[in-house]
Amino acid sequence: MPRLTDARKELRRTQIAEAAVRCFSRNGLKRTSIADITAESGLSAGSIYAHYRNKADLVQAAARETLDKRDGTISEYAAADAPPSPDELLSRLIAAIDPAEARVGVQTWGESTTDPAIRDIVADTTDRMRAMVHDCVTAWLVKVEHHDPPHAREFATPIAHQVMALYQAELLYTALRTPAEETPS
Amino acid sequence: MPRLTDARKELRRTQIAEAAVRCFSRNGLKRTSIADITAESGLSAGSIYAHYRNKADLVQAAARETLDKRDGTISEYAAADAPPSPDELLSRLIAAIDPAEARVGVQTWGESTTDPAIRDIVADTTDRMRAMVHDCVTAWLVKVEHHDPPHAREFATPIAHQVMALYQAELLYTALRTPAEETPS
DNA sequence: GTCTATACGAAGATAGAC
DNA sequence: GTCTATCTTCGTATAGAC
């Protein structure tokens, strides 16, 4: 197993994907051409197609990267001795929003309405994040509010739903509020 | 003033826009070609360009049509003797969601991140709808809960914000839940 | 105003050298 | 693996007849 080689390959892939995310953030999923990504990444078209089958494949990678980025922190909150309240959790989630990622995230929502592969990615990442929020709210109910665990899990469900909705709305408003930079055409 | 002629012109415009919305709902904003819209509308490319300057113009018309459709009913609620509670209002808004329009709406959000004209349309329609929700919640506070009007308007603001967020989240979930029909390619 | 036919440009993807 | 150069397809928009 050439593990080191695989690692280098993966590094290039993320390098390309990150350049793509920057382009998408400025110009959108469809208006971004391969030429834009070559300019942003410093690589060539041939090189990009050596790492991604086609543009759709690259868009999927960018979507995963953008949508997954939020996941790390929430699980830490749930494990804390004094988990944050739902209001506090929401505040922290909103504070962590990056405008560029918000734009790509909302673009991804739009794409998910017609592209099944993107749809699955959005559904998966949304479900995973909701589960984490649910865990965090449950932990707060148990550890701070002293509910008993079985009741807490049930009680947490509509609260997690609300937190997610308010977070996603804020994502949309951030994307609307902070326009992309002018295209340097 | 050829008022009748103008009315016919406007009729054709909406005929074209409605065909466009159906195409967008299936295939998305960018993957829909003018040829698709000619097929759906029964008109020709030349005819379409006689009514819309270009595709972007047509997309804007479709966005307005889709996003405005929700507006009519809410103002009636606010004027009622017993305005609906926020929960009831939200239920009615959600019940009125049409999956096809939800998809185009979410696509419009995505487009708004990079297209200033679409951004303005989304921002305007969102603000208008939020204002109507705010009026409705205020009316409920005054007429049903017997708050005094000045206090009610202020108290209604965060509630309206929540109703909007939950509604928009439901719009997104509807778009995710109901995939577009297969493209009959 | 509506049609058919087409010009023009753009972008995805590949070939082949290094 | 990476590059340059190019092929090919597709879609917007227009021209010109009716």
Side-chain angles (χ1 to χ4, degrees), chain A residues 172-185:
Chain A
L172 174 60
Y173 300 153
T174 301
L176 284 173
R177 197 184 310 125
T178 52
E181 318 152 21
E182 288 297 310
T183 309
S185 59

Side-chain angles (χ1 to χ4, degrees), chain A residues 114, chain B residues 20-29 32 37 59 62 104 107:
Chain A
T114 51
Chain B
V21 169
R22 287 193 293 274
C23 291
F24 295 154
S25 166
R26 281 200 298 270
N27 298 338
L29 261 31
T32 295
I37 298 172
V59 170
V104 179
Q107 289 164 15

